[in-house]
Structures are given as structure tokens and as C-alpha cells.
Amino acid sequence: MEYLAKFDDAGRRTATVCKGVHYQTDEERQSYLDGGYVPITEEDYHHYVGNRGGGEHGTGYIRDAVTGKPVSAPPAPVVEEAPQEPPIDEERLAAFEATAAQEARLVEQEARIAALEATLKGGEGK
């Protein structure tokens, strides 16, 4: 079976077509070649689709620009570890702090009112 594959600039396979499935005639084959597809062997195809393992770095295989053969893809980029503390929503935090401050002012106001009422009640009998 003949395979035609298309690769991106980094050598990653983006599409594959097969004779007898995707094209029948030489004209149809040529249209794929004109569209950037290149012939690959069945063995190369098995590398690109992962049937021959994940390569040296476990990231699969890419097409070497010089030889046109499968080579191990580079290692996956290092991913920064997620922060251990959840992110802080500054707007929500400010709203909670403002609410707490308002509640503290209300408690103080209630204490003042209670003191004034006690003073007034204590002064009525005199």
C-alpha cells in the first residue's frame, strides 16, 4: 500500500492518505503531491502513528527535514508546576474585607447606642 503524508514545518505529520482508499488514479495522486503530500513507506507510517513506540523522549516521531525519515521528536517542553496556593481574587477579597469592616463599625455603633440608652435610663430617675 502506498502512503502519502503531509507534514508541518516542525516535521509533525498532519495528514495521511492511502492509495485505494483516498485516491485511485495517477491524477488524484498528483493532486495530493501538488498539495504538499510526500510519499512515505509503510514502515515510516507506523513510526508516525505511534505503532513503533514513542521514540527516545516518549513524544513520538517527526520527519527529519534532511533525510525525510522518522526521527525521535524532541522532548516535551517543561511545564511549570502549578502554584500550591489557590489564586486570590483581589476584587472578592476587597469586598469581603469591606464587609467585615462595616460589620465591625455596626458592632461599635450598637455598643454606643446601648451605652447612651443606659445613660438615659439611669438619668431618668434623678
Side-chain angles (χ1 to χ4, degrees):
M1 179 173 291
E2 180 185 51
Y3 292 93
L4 301 178
K6 194 169 192 177
F7 298 89
D8 66 12
D9 292 338
R12 290 183 298 267
R13 183 183 62 88
T14 60
T16 304
V17 294
C18 321
K19 183 176 184 176
V21 176
H22 301 97
Y23 64 92
Q24 309 292 336
T25 67
D26 288 339
E27 292 80 22
E28 290 172 328
R29 179 182 187 272
Q30 189 59 49
S31 70
Y32 282 110
L33 295 173
D34 293 344
Y37 285 77
V38 295
I40 61 170
T41 66
E42 187 170 349
E43 183 61 24
D44 289 353
Y45 170 77
H46 285 291
H47 277 86
Y48 294 129
V49 297
N51 293 340
R52 300 294 184 258
E56 291 176 32
H57 309 289
T59 53
Y61 290 88
I62 60 173
R63 180 179 170 87
D64 182 74
V66 176
T67 66
K69 299 306 270 176
V71 295
S72 290
V78 176
V79 177
E80 283 189 34
E81 196 172 307
Q84 298 302 316
E85 294 181 23
I88 296 173
D89 181 342
E90 295 296 332
E91 254 182 69
R92 182 175 268 178
L93 178 61
F96 285 134
E97 288 173 344
T99 300
Q102 180 65 25
E103 287 176 5
R105 285 191 295 274
L106 290 174
V107 168
E108 287 177 19
Q109 189 67 22
E110 287 174 3
R112 284 190 208 118
I113 290 171
L116 285 171
E117 287 176 343
T119 302
L120 289 173
K121 285 182 184 176
E124 287 176 359
K126 291 185 181 178

